[in-house]
């Protein structure tokens, strides 16, 4: 008898029948665990049996006296052959060998008796089949009676009888007791069973003082996990209701409307594939936005942002749920609980769950796809049609969200499948002689093709030219045409010029330190060979977030908005971190048996928990302990890059306006988030209008109030609190620092000065700007405008005075820097001018006039070749001014190339 086999005798008090349980692969079980298992089987059968535990005499280390074992052995043997009940713990490493050995030694003579299948799923729920089956000798031989038995064969042999099996960890075959009804439960019964299995039973198990501490803890982990999942959904929904509108949502809505019209007109309306602005929205399938728009259309909710946010929060919650499933599959309830805890207390992730319609759905589809591929290979060489469908749907949704996202998920599935091929020895099998064993591979390949064509049906740009447009999109992936100014490492720079480690750095400083500690613990466990988990799944988890980050370092050229475009990596970071904490407590026996096994990672999460309590719904602005919290990142890294805080600013401003202006008062509110403000003020007062303006150009338009989130404000001014204090009305603050600036215009001299400039009244403009600067002396824009007026009249010395004053309040104000270069150029300080123009071009490559001015410095030095190079860059960036052509002609003439000189001279006229 194999060492891992235990036999349990079950005696009914109401009859002479004796039932026995054979526990295969259960040598690690305690007596209490076996009794708990038997009790759960009793509950399924509604039996009133009393039980007595007896070990087989071949089991070593038994606490039961040898004499008792010897006297009961024959009874156990005989009764087992008559009424067999098998308990098979599939998670035990030796169960296959033990079962095969047992079949060989015992040669059970089972007959065609009706039996009921009970099973334990990964959530610890004990279930029963809805039909009976026969365990015959042939079944045993065919499925269990050889050394090469696999989990897949075991599950597949009884799979048709399992309902909602999820991942079966133990299989139990039970003789059907007479008079017991296993009819299919109704909806109410199922709900009651679900509640009992996930909440009442685990809690009851924990409260059972007679149970072993480990058994009790497992019950508590299960209860806490179920509770945390439920609380997580509520948290996500509350955040969705409270959060503001993302700056991208209106663009997503506009594209969704075009997609809707494309299908409504059967492709006649082609505006969906026409580029609008610099951002080709049609490159993304954005299936989630399209579906939400279509579902909301009949209800009039297609532009209801609360409806949209609730929808995305539910989808984001599914990412947490399936990440927990993967953790549960890998190492049990404690890891699933820790993983869920880490995700819910990662504020930047949850902040995106509230309203990120592009990146969160892709993250969810990716984690569902990874879970599905793991489950798909669990029953090899059989094929799970259910998980094949899940794999296909996850791939299709990923492709239809973002083509590159689908390619990544396909690569992850391919990687894991390759590991399974190597693990199962499939490479040694002939493609001709053993087609059945290769069937899972061919079906997966077919699933990839099918999912791609399903995705095309929901992606108009791909539908009209599948191959051509797919290649175009893949080639452009990571090189976004939009270049935005962002604060990174205290510098104000374009997204196209961010350092290669941009994404990795943001991950390090915005994900709670508890996750990085968990990941470090996992790495230690791997290198010390302590990580007792399936290596194939572990490598899949590491690759799922490691490869995209490595790719971002070496391949991506345009990065902005923190790491939101890499949100799909986060569930796998959380899973690996959860495993790390699990391995830590496993190595400390007293900690492993204590509830502090959960308390320690929870203590490590106090920092993000405090942040959430203080600053909801601004979770996505979180920075971790490395940065000294979000306040420590102020002016060093971008805060409100999606302009969510506009909502809180708008709510405050509406209250203020109603207190100080009667309804019907005509007011203009200026903002760089005017689209979002329009939504917040909808239905408030039709007399109030919105005006778009950049923060540093606000003086050139007419407004009464202004609202600006701190995005696009230079870090020097943020850190030194330089803002127009005379017009300052209110701040929405986050951890003590201004998040939203609210202004009330008390002086219009700046606007009137700009009107004077338009009317060519330089003297009037100077007077008005001087008056404005007395009102707001820290206005870099006002000082620049004065300097520019004097520069236009070639009064370079006076211009220098005012541009110097401008630098005091904004040392990197781009217009002032360009003007400083022109002052040096026109006062023949060429060596001083050249580095200024060179740096301007480096900071903002599309400043075509800077190329021309840079070239002029070289022309003045008679370096005509260098001058021509810069003039060429000016033309390439759109500078088609006649004097540029004239300068090019002059340089060619000086170099003796009369043909080219004549050509450009003609173009200058």
């Amino acid at each position: 008898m194999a060492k891992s086999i235990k036999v349990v005798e079950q005696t009914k008090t109401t009859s002479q029948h004796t039932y026995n349980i054979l526990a295969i692969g259960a040598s690690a079980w305690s007596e209490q665990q076996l009794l708990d298992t038997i009790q759960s089987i009793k509950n399924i059968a509604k039996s009133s049996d009393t039980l007595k535990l007896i070990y087989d005499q071949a089991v070593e280390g038994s606490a039961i006296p040898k004499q008792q074992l010897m006297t009961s052995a024959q009874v156990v043997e005989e009764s087992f052959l008559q009424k067999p009940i098998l308990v098979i713990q599939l998670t035990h490493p030796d169960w296959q060998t033990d079962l095969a050995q047992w079949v060989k030694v015992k040669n059970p003579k089972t007959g065609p008796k009706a039996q009921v299948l009970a099973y334990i799923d990964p959530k610890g729920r004990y279930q029963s089949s809805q039909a009976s089956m026969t365990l015959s000798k042939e079944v045993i031989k065919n499925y269990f009676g050889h050394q090469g038995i696999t989990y897949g064969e075991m599950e597949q042999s009884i799979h048709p009888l399992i309902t909602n099996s999820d991942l079966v960890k133990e299989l139990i075959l039970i003789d059907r007791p007479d008079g017991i009804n296993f009819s299919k439960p109704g909806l109410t019964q199922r709900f009651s069973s679900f509640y009992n299995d996930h909440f009442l039973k685990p809690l009851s198990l924990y409260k059972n003082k007679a149970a072993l501490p480990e058994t009790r803890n497992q019950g508590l982990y299960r209860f806490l996990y179920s509770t945390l999942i439920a609380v997580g959904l509520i948290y996500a929904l509350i955040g969705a209701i409270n959060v503001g509108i993302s700056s991208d949502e209106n663009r997503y809505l506009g594209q969704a409307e075009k997609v809707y019209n494309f299908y409504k007109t059967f492709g006649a309306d082609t505006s969906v594939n026409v580029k609008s602005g610099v951002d080709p929205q049609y490159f993304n399938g954005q299936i989630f936005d399209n579906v939400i728009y279509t579902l909301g259309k009949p209800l009039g909710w297609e532009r209801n942002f609360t409806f949209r946010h609730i929808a995305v929060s539910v989808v984001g919650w599914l990412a947490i749920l399936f990440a927990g499933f993967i953790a549960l599959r890998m190492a049990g309830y404690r890891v699933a609980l820790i993983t869920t805890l880490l995700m819910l207390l990662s504020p930047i992730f949850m902040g995106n769950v509230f309203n990120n319609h592009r990146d969160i759905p892709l993250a969810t589809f990716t984690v569902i796809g990874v879970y599905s591929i793991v489950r798909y290979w669990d029953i090899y060489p059989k094929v799970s049609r259910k998980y094949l469908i899940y794999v296909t749907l996850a791939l299709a949704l990923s492709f239809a969200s973002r083509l590159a996202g689908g390619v990544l998920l396909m690569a992850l599935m391919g990687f894991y499948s390759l590991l399974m091929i190597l693990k199962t020895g499939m490479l040694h099998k002939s493609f001709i002689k053993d087609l059945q064993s290769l069937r899972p591979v061919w079906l997966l390949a077919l699933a990839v093709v099918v999912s791609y064509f399903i995705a095309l049906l929901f992606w108009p740009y791909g539908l009209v030219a599948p191959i051509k447009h797919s290649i175009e999109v893949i080639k452009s992936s990571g090189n976004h045409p939009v270049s935005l100014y962002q604060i990174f490492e205290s510098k104000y720079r374009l997204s196209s010029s961010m350092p290669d480690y941009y994404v990795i750095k943001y991950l390090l400083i915005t994900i709670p330190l508890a996750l990085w500690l968990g990941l470090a613990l996992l790495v230690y466990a791997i290198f010390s060979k302590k990580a007792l988990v399936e290596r194939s799944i572990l490598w899949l988890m590491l690759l799922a977030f490691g490869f995209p980050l490595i790719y971002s370092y070496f391949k991506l050229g345009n990065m902005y908005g923190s790491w939101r475009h890499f949100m799909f990596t986060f569930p796998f970071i959380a899973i690996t971190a959860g495993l790390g904490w699990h391995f830590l407590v496993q190595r400390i026996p007293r900690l492993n048996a204590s509830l502090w096994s959960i308390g320690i990672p929870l203590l490590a999460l106090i920092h993000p928990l405090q942040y959430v309590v203080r600053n909801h719904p601004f979770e996505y602005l979180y920075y971790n302990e490395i940065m000294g919290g979000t306040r420590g990142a102020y002016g060093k890294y971008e805060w409100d890059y999606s302009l969510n805080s506009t909502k809180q600013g708008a709510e405050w401003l509406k209250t203020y306006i109603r207190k100080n202006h009667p309804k019907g008062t005509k007011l203009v509110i200026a903002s760089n988030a005017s689209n979002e403000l329009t939504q917040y003020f909808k239905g408030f007062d039709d007399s109030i209008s919105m005006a778009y303006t950049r923060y540093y150009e606000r003086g050139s338009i007419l407004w009464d109030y202004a609202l600006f989130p701190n995005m696009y404000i230079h870090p020097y001014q943020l850190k030194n609190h330089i803002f127009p204090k005379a017009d300052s009305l209110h701040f929405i603050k986050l951890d003590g620092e201004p998040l939203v600036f609210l202004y009330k215009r008390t002086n219009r001299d700046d606007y009137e000065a700009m009107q004077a400039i338009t009317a060519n009244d330089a003297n009037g403009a100077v007077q008005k700007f001087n008056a404005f600067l007395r009102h707001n002396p820290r206005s870099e824009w006002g000082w620049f405008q004065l300097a520019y007026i004097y520069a236009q009249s070639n009064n370079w010395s006076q211009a220098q005075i005012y541009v110097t004053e401008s630098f005091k309040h904004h040392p990197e104000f781009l217009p002032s820097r360009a003007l400083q270069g022109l002052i040096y150029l026109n006062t023949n300080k060429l060596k001083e001018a050249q580095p200024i123009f060179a740096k301007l071009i480096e900071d903002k490559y599309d400043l075509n006039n800077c190329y021309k001015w840079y070239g002029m410095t070289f022309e003045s030095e008679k370096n005509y070749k260098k001058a021509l190079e810069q003039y060429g860059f000016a033309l390439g960036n759109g500078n088609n001014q006649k004097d540029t052509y004239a300068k090019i002609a002059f340089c060619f003439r000086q170099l003796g190339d009369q043909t080219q000189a004549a050509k450009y001279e003609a173009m200058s006229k």
Side-chain angles (χ1 to χ4, degrees):
M1 185 71 69
K3 294 181 180 180
S4 64
I5 298 178
K6 294 181 180 180
V7 178
V8 177
E9 182 180 9
Q10 171 184 331
T11 304
K12 293 183 68 173
T13 57
T14 56
S15 71
Q16 300 300 315
H17 296 295
T18 301
Y19 294 90
N20 300 277
I21 294 179
L22 178 74
I24 303 293
S27 62
W29 285 8
S30 65
E31 293 183 17
Q32 184 62 47
Q33 285 175 308
L34 271 175
L35 285 171
D36 291 341
T37 300
I38 296 166
Q39 183 61 45
S40 298
I41 295 170
K42 279 177 53 184
N43 292 339
I44 292 174
K46 299 182 176 64
S47 171
S48 60
D49 300 342
T50 58
L51 306 174
K52 181 180 179 183
L53 184 66
I54 302 177
Y55 283 142
D56 189 288
Q57 60 181 340
V59 177
E60 296 181 3
S62 172
I64 299 178
K66 185 176 181 180
Q67 184 178 1
Q68 183 179 351
L69 287 170
M70 293 297 290
T71 57
S72 61
Q74 185 64 33
V75 177
V76 171
E77 173 73 9
E78 290 177 357
S79 60
F80 176 78
L81 294 178
Q82 296 172 6
K83 301 284 186 179
I85 300 176
L86 273 67
V87 179
I88 303 158
Q89 186 188 20
L90 298 174
T91 54
H92 192 282
D94 297 325
W95 75 266
Q96 299 170 1
T97 304
D98 291 346
L99 181 56
Q101 178 67 17
W102 177 83
V103 171
K104 180 179 178 180
V105 173
K106 295 295 182 180
N107 189 25
K109 297 181 176 63
T110 53
K113 284 185 173 293
Q115 295 179 334
V116 173
L117 172 70
Y119 59 92
I120 305 173
D121 67 19
K123 301 178 181 61
R125 299 175 299 189
Y126 290 86
Q127 309 281 4
S128 64
S129 63
Q130 305 306 320
S132 63
M133 66 170 291
T134 298
L135 179 66
S136 65
K137 183 176 181 180
E138 288 70 28
V139 171
I140 292 177
K141 284 185 175 180
N142 291 341
Y143 290 103
F144 314 141
H146 60 88
Q147 292 287 342
I149 187 172
T150 67
Y151 167 81
E153 290 171 321
M154 172 66 80
E155 184 184 33
Q156 191 66 21
S157 67
I158 46 82
H159 185 72
L161 303 177
I162 301 177
T163 52
N164 299 323
S165 64
D166 215 357
L167 177 62
V168 178
K169 297 174 73 174
E170 288 114 31
L171 301 177
I172 306 162
L173 297 174
I174 313 172
D175 273 357
R176 180 190 295 275
D178 295 337
I180 300 301
N181 181 17
F182 285 94
S183 59
K184 187 175 181 179
L187 182 62
T188 303
Q189 289 176 301
R190 288 188 178 187
F191 177 80
S192 177
S193 176
F194 175 87
Y195 179 71
N196 287 335
D197 290 340
H198 286 80
F199 297 96
L200 296 185
K201 287 181 181 179
L203 193 58
S204 176
L205 181 59
Y206 171 67
K207 292 179 178 180
N208 182 7
K209 303 297 183 181
L212 293 175
E214 182 182 351
T215 304
R216 295 180 60 213
N217 287 348
Q218 289 299 322
L220 183 61
Y221 297 150
R222 183 175 165 192
F223 170 78
L224 291 176
Y225 172 68
S226 301
T227 303
L228 194 61
I229 285 292
V231 170
L233 178 58
I234 295 171
Y235 174 33
L237 293 173
I238 291 173
I241 294 171
N242 293 333
V243 78
I245 301 169
S246 167
S247 58
D248 289 327
E249 286 193 68
N250 281 294
R251 294 190 299 120
Y252 298 164
L253 263 173
Q255 182 66 10
E257 184 176 16
K258 293 176 182 178
V259 170
Y260 180 86
N261 291 332
F262 173 83
Y263 289 106
K264 181 180 178 181
T265 62
F266 297 97
D269 187 341
T270 59
S271 62
V272 66
N273 294 328
V274 177
K275 187 174 181 179
S276 177
V278 295
D279 189 1
Q281 284 290 304
Y282 50 82
F283 271 18
N284 292 301
Q286 65 165 53
I287 188 170
F288 177 81
D289 268 294
N290 299 339
V291 169
I292 292 302
Y293 183 91
T294 303
L295 292 177
K297 188 76 173 176
L299 302 171
W301 291 354
E302 68 272 23
R303 292 188 176 275
N304 184 307
F305 288 93
T306 300
F307 165 67
R308 291 168 52 80
H309 294 168
I310 287 174
V312 75
S313 70
V314 172
V315 171
W317 174 79
L318 288 175
I320 300 171
L321 182 67
F322 276 87
F325 286 167
I326 294 174
L328 189 59
R329 166 68 178 81
M330 294 180 73
Y333 272 102
R334 182 165 62 192
V335 176
L337 173 60
I338 295 174
T339 298
T340 305
L341 191 64
L342 291 172
M343 294 186 76
L344 289 175
L345 288 180
S346 289
I348 187 167
F349 175 74
M350 291 305 299
N352 278 273
V353 164
F354 298 159
N355 70 349
N356 186 333
H357 292 74
R358 183 69 59 83
D359 303 300
I360 288 298
L362 180 60
T364 299
F365 303 149
T366 302
V367 74
I368 290 175
V370 168
Y371 173 74
S372 300
I373 194 64
V374 170
R375 292 301 316 280
Y376 176 81
W377 280 105
D378 271 343
I379 66 166
Y380 175 82
K382 304 298 181 180
V383 173
S384 169
R385 282 176 287 184
K386 178 174 74 171
Y387 286 106
L388 182 63
I389 293 172
Y390 288 176
V391 165
T392 305
L393 289 177
L395 272 171
L397 290 168
S398 297
F399 279 129
S401 296
R402 187 182 299 154
L403 191 60
V407 171
L408 173 69
L409 179 56
M410 180 180 67
L412 293 175
M413 290 179 171
F415 171 77
Y416 187 72
S417 298
L418 178 60
L419 292 181
M420 291 298 99
I421 289 171
L422 296 173
K423 182 177 179 180
T424 58
M426 192 185 299
L427 288 178
H428 300 295
K429 299 177 180 180
S430 168
F431 277 69
I432 298 175
K433 295 181 180 179
D434 199 357
L435 290 176
Q436 184 64 24
S437 66
L438 295 168
R439 184 164 171 257
V441 178
W442 301 126
L443 287 174
L444 270 184
L446 180 62
V448 171
V449 176
V450 170
S451 63
Y452 171 70
F453 281 104
I454 291 175
L456 288 177
L457 296 176
F458 299 94
W459 179 33
Y461 193 64
L463 187 61
V464 298
I467 305 301
K468 177 184 175 182
H469 287 168
S470 294
I471 294 173
E472 178 188 359
V473 170
I474 290 296
K475 284 183 176 180
S476 67
S477 180
N479 293 297
H480 205 280
V482 177
S483 192
L484 306 173
Y485 270 111
Q486 300 269 281
I487 302 173
F488 186 74
E489 296 179 337
S490 299
K491 297 179 181 178
Y492 198 55
R493 56 176 76 179
L494 284 172
S495 55
S496 56
S497 62
M498 291 296 177
D500 296 332
Y501 55 82
Y502 175 88
V503 172
I504 297 173
K505 179 71 176 287
Y506 256 118
L507 280 163
L508 287 173
I509 63 177
T510 58
I511 290 179
L513 195 57
L515 280 87
W516 297 124
L517 291 175
L519 184 58
L521 291 168
L522 176 62
V523 171
Y524 170 77
I526 292 172
F527 281 101
S528 61
K529 299 182 180 179
K530 307 294 186 190
L532 302 177
V533 70
E534 289 183 56
R535 289 303 176 101
S536 54
I537 304 180
L538 181 57
W539 293 128
L540 176 62
M541 296 298 105
L542 294 172
L543 183 72
F545 75 83
F547 174 75
L549 300 186
I550 294 171
Y551 182 86
S552 75
Y553 182 85
F554 288 102
K555 289 291 185 181
L556 299 189
N558 192 348
M559 294 171 283
Y560 59 91
S562 187
W563 55 278
R564 65 184 179 87
H565 297 112
F566 288 79
M567 201 60 62
F568 58 86
T569 65
F570 180 74
F572 308 108
I573 296 175
I575 292 168
T576 51
L579 286 170
W581 285 108
H582 173 68
F583 292 137
L584 171 67
V585 298
Q586 271 190 326
R587 298 295 297 164
I588 308 172
R590 291 186 64 184
L591 187 61
N592 190 37
S594 167
L595 294 182
W596 277 105
S597 60
I598 297 298
I600 290 194
L602 183 58
L603 284 175
L605 288 165
I606 286 179
H607 186 267
L609 177 60
Q610 289 177 331
Y611 175 86
V612 170
V613 172
R614 289 196 313 268
N615 298 310
H616 178 78
F618 297 123
E619 277 85 338
Y620 94 110
L621 303 182
Y622 174 78
Y623 285 84
N624 65 23
E625 300 92 324
I626 296 173
M627 286 303 303
T630 301
R631 185 171 188 175
Y634 189 72
K636 298 176 184 177
Y637 294 90
E638 199 63 64
W639 264 24
D640 194 8
Y641 50 83
S642 288
L643 308 181
N644 285 344
S645 60
T646 306
K647 177 179 182 179
Q648 282 68 26
E651 294 301 321
W652 188 94
L653 187 56
K654 285 195 291 186
T655 301
Y656 180 87
I657 288 174
R658 190 50 65 232
K659 286 181 179 179
N660 292 275
H661 299 280
K663 190 170 184 178
T665 304
K666 289 189 176 182
L667 299 170
V668 177
I669 303 174
S671 180
N672 53 9
S674 55
N675 287 333
E676 290 73 28
L677 278 182
T678 300
Q679 294 295 328
Y680 298 134
F681 275 85
K682 188 176 291 184
F684 176 71
D685 192 333
D686 293 340
S687 300
I688 298 174
S689 59
M690 307 300 152
Y692 173 81
T693 180
R694 294 184 177 93
Y695 180 77
Y696 291 110
E697 298 173 4
R698 62 190 181 278
S700 59
I701 68 168
L702 194 61
W703 52 269
D704 301 290
Y705 293 93
L707 184 155
F708 294 99
N710 66 11
M711 188 183 185
Y712 300 129
I713 299 178
H714 195 274
Y716 177 85
Q717 293 190 312
L718 289 176
K719 287 190 285 188
N720 290 281
H721 299 98
I722 297 175
F723 51 88
K725 293 184 178 179
D727 292 338
S728 182
L729 177 63
H730 183 69
F731 300 109
I732 303 294
K733 291 188 176 183
L734 185 72
D735 282 347
E737 296 290 355
L739 176 62
V740 180
F741 295 83
L742 289 153
Y743 300 128
K744 181 178 182 179
R745 201 168 203 164
T746 58
N747 182 292
R748 296 187 177 184
D749 287 329
D750 52 347
Y751 173 73
E752 293 175 3
M754 294 303 296
Q755 295 296 105
I757 289 176
T758 303
N760 293 319
D761 182 5
N763 290 330
V766 168
Q767 291 177 5
K768 285 296 181 180
F769 273 123
N770 278 314
F772 171 70
L773 288 167
R774 286 192 294 272
H775 172 74
N776 182 16
R778 304 184 78 184
S779 171
E780 72 296 318
W781 181 80
W783 291 113
F784 160 75
Q785 291 292 347
L786 270 180
Y788 187 68
I789 292 171
Y790 284 105
Q792 286 184 312
S793 61
N794 297 323
N795 188 341
W796 303 111
S797 59
Q798 195 67 26
Q800 182 64 68
I801 292 172
Y802 291 126
V803 82
T804 300
E805 192 67 30
S806 175
F807 283 137
K808 290 180 182 179
H809 312 298
H810 190 340
E812 295 185 32
F813 190 47
L814 192 146
S816 295
R817 290 164 60 196
L819 182 55
Q820 180 67 79
L822 280 174
I823 292 172
Y824 284 145
L825 174 63
N826 286 276
T827 55
N828 206 33
K829 296 179 180 179
L830 304 179
K831 294 301 181 184
E832 289 86 346
Q834 287 171 354
I836 290 177
F837 292 132
K839 189 66 171 64
L840 282 166
I841 291 168
E842 178 186 344
D843 291 348
K844 198 171 189 331
Y845 59 87
D846 58 350
L847 295 173
N848 50 54
N849 278 334
C850 283
Y851 291 104
K852 181 178 75 172
W853 298 330
Y854 197 16
M856 289 169 63
T857 66
F858 292 112
E859 181 183 335
S860 297
E861 293 179 335
K862 299 185 179 181
N863 187 344
Y864 300 116
K865 288 185 178 180
K866 193 71 174 177
L868 281 174
E869 180 182 43
Q870 295 304 319
Y871 292 149
F873 289 145
L875 293 179
N877 279 274
N879 186 318
N880 297 314
Q881 298 168 358
K882 291 184 178 181
D883 69 324
T884 305
Y885 291 114
K887 291 179 183 300
I888 293 174
F890 176 79
C891 290
F892 275 122
R893 186 169 291 107
Q894 297 304 310
L895 291 171
D897 190 337
Q898 302 303 324
T899 302
Q900 289 293 329
K903 172 185 173 182
Y904 282 97
E905 188 171 358
M907 295 171 70
S908 69
K909 297 180 180 179

